[in-house]
Amino acid sequence: MKITAIETYVLTVPMPQPMSRNYVHQKLVVAEISTDEGVKGLGYSLVFGGGGAEAVHAYLETRLKPVLIGEDPLRVEQLWEKMFRTDMGIKKQGIAAYALSALDIGLWDIAGKTAGLPLYKMWGAVSDRIPAYGSGGWSKYSERELIAEAERFAALGCKYYKMKIHHADPLENRKRVEAVQRALGGGVRMMVDVNQNRDVLGNERQARLLEEYDLLWYEEPVLADDYDGYAEVAARIRIPIAGGENHYTRWEFKQLLERKALHFAMPDVCRANGFSETLRIGKLCAAHGVQLTPHLIHEISIHVVGALSNGFLVEFMDWAPPDLFQELPECRDGLIRIPERPGHGMALQPKATWWMPSP
């Protein structure tokens, strides 16, 4: 089997209210890989908020796509190494990692389809039903909207809900957390997300105000590049730390793990150099007793969680319009069942009317 063509493009996906007050749209960088045996693979990277998507597409199209044409798509590990070592002066983080991720996801889709197996079964098959946590709680939501969203996820059976704590005043953040927890009652446990917005002392003060709420985790406390800051926060506060959505390789996670800076690891398959590297990160985390709960992209992240013994949760953020994918895995009783379709099981709708090409 040989790769004969790779079609690439950027999709702009409008967001519904109230999420659109924080993000008007998202962008998908898509790679559709064709082979001489008729098997096709779909790969894509979600560029959250859309910023940089065109740069991701340009690197994918001009530097990584030529590396794969004519190659055997089933040699996924070999091709991952080939792409990762292309342009050694450009680290495979950020833009380059998003581009490699889309292609690696597409290659694994071909491998699964050729084997006639869903990916989680190719990789180990620990579970076919993955617990999901409701995610949102954006800073521009009113308190009423925040509670309504949390209650909607709870109605789907989600046992966990994550919200943002972006307000400059830590007392205001505590007030919003308390309001949601009061509305949800005791059946849902909460998490909070700082999104890299505080320094060590600011996180220590904020976390102290939230300790009474028995939070599952406290996410991305400091800048992703500040490994020592991560470790210092983890040592100073009494809430477990989650992070990793803005770390792209196993070596970055190694630094966090060796510093004992993480309790929950959150690699993003569209950022962390695809399925291949995310699986390596997950196994590395298992050796450190850290649970894996991937960032976003629940529709394909479920395969990673379902394949690994330390897989815990997937992030269920209802961002995708109903006509983006042909069939999106549903959340029922707080669980998302992994489709038995070969590969990752996802397909885009053919040229839906809302598709907005990037300029």
Side-chain angles (χ1 to χ4, degrees):
M1 185 184 293
K2 300 294 182 185
I3 296 172
T4 56
I6 303 175
E7 182 183 1
T8 69
Y9 49 92
V10 177
L11 292 181
T12 302
V13 184
M15 291 295 96
Q17 289 282 5
M19 186 176 176
S20 62
R21 291 207 291 277
N22 278 85
Y23 294 98
V24 175
H25 56 249
Q26 315 296 348
K27 290 189 179 183
L28 288 181
V29 179
V30 181
E32 296 181 327
I33 305 173
S34 298
T35 68
D36 59 356
E37 295 187 15
V39 183
K40 294 186 176 182
L42 171 67
Y44 57 91
S45 281
L46 171 64
V47 181
F48 207 77
E54 288 72 25
V56 172
H57 178 253
Y59 189 77
L60 190 162
E61 177 69 23
T62 61
R63 301 304 302 156
L64 297 184
K65 172 179 169 179
V67 168
L68 298 186
I69 299 297
E71 294 283 1
D72 180 352
L74 300 183
R75 301 179 73 99
V76 182
E77 289 285 343
Q78 182 187 72
L79 295 181
W80 187 93
E81 289 288 341
K82 189 175 182 181
M83 290 189 289
F84 196 81
R85 294 175 184 275
T86 295
D87 300 322
M88 289 300 287
I90 297 178
K91 296 186 76 173
K92 299 309 178 289
Q93 299 169 338
I95 286 168
Y98 277 97
L100 195 158
S101 296
L103 291 168
D104 182 77
I105 290 166
L107 291 172
W108 275 113
D109 194 31
I110 290 173
K113 288 174 178 175
T114 301
L117 290 171
L119 291 178
Y120 82 104
K121 286 188 174 178
M122 290 187 69
W123 298 331
V126 172
S127 177
D128 63 351
R129 290 174 175 82
I130 311 302
Y133 70 88
S135 178
W138 295 97
S139 59
K140 294 183 180 179
Y141 286 10
S142 68
E143 187 176 294
R144 179 180 57 79
E145 290 168 332
L146 188 62
I147 291 170
E149 180 184 76
E151 290 177 336
R152 179 169 59 84
F153 284 123
L156 293 172
C158 295
K159 304 301 182 187
Y160 307 91
Y161 175 69
K162 186 176 79 179
M163 60 175 284
K164 310 299 182 181
I165 51 169
H166 291 176
H167 200 283
D169 183 355
L171 291 171
E172 180 64 24
N173 291 322
R174 183 177 71 174
K175 176 185 173 185
R176 284 165 67 87
V177 169
E178 182 179 34
V180 175
Q181 191 173 80
R182 188 187 310 114
L184 291 175
V188 177
R189 198 170 179 194
M190 293 179 62
M191 310 91 130
V192 295
D193 191 351
V194 181
N195 285 124
Q196 309 180 71
N197 281 327
R198 284 181 168 73
D199 61 13
V200 173
L201 293 178
N203 280 296
E204 187 175 19
R205 183 186 178 206
Q206 179 67 83
R208 194 182 306 118
L209 291 170
L210 297 175
E211 284 177 0
E212 64 186 279
Y213 301 111
D214 188 31
L215 300 174
L216 181 64
W217 71 55
Y218 187 95
E219 185 175 329
E220 275 207 310
V222 296
L223 288 172
D225 302 289
D226 186 3
Y227 296 101
D228 291 332
Y230 252 93
E232 195 170 356
V233 173
R236 286 183 178 219
I237 75 173
R238 297 172 62 186
I239 307 171
I241 299 294
E245 69 185 73
N246 289 299
H247 297 94
Y248 301 89
T249 67
R250 77 199 89 149
W251 298 285
E252 292 173 73
F253 278 87
K254 181 173 181 284
Q255 293 191 57
L256 291 167
L257 294 167
E258 289 182 344
R259 287 170 169 83
K260 300 187 183 302
L262 282 184
H263 301 94
F264 299 95
M266 309 180 73
D268 184 317
V269 297
C270 293
R271 303 178 187 180
N273 289 279
F275 282 135
S276 295
E277 188 73 349
T278 302
L279 287 164
R280 298 185 194 106
I281 290 166
K283 292 175 181 179
L284 177 65
C285 290
H288 288 263
V290 170
Q291 291 182 298
L292 187 74
T293 172
H295 176 250
L296 289 178
I297 337 295
H298 72 274
E299 71 278 1
I300 56 177
S301 295
I302 49 179
H303 288 277
V304 177
V305 177
L308 299 179
S309 60
N310 62 323
F312 178 34
L313 296 170
V314 289
E315 182 171 13
F316 181 40
M317 184 180 292
D318 200 10
W319 66 272
D323 58 352
L324 174 59
F325 295 106
Q326 290 185 21
E327 188 174 349
L328 192 66
E330 295 182 1
C331 182
R332 296 180 180 176
D333 299 322
L335 302 170
I336 298 178
R337 182 165 187 166
I338 305 177
E340 291 299 313
R341 298 185 293 273
H344 55 56
M346 299 306 299
L348 292 168
Q349 291 281 14
K351 305 301 180 186
T353 56
W354 57 263
W355 279 23
M356 295 157 40
S358 273

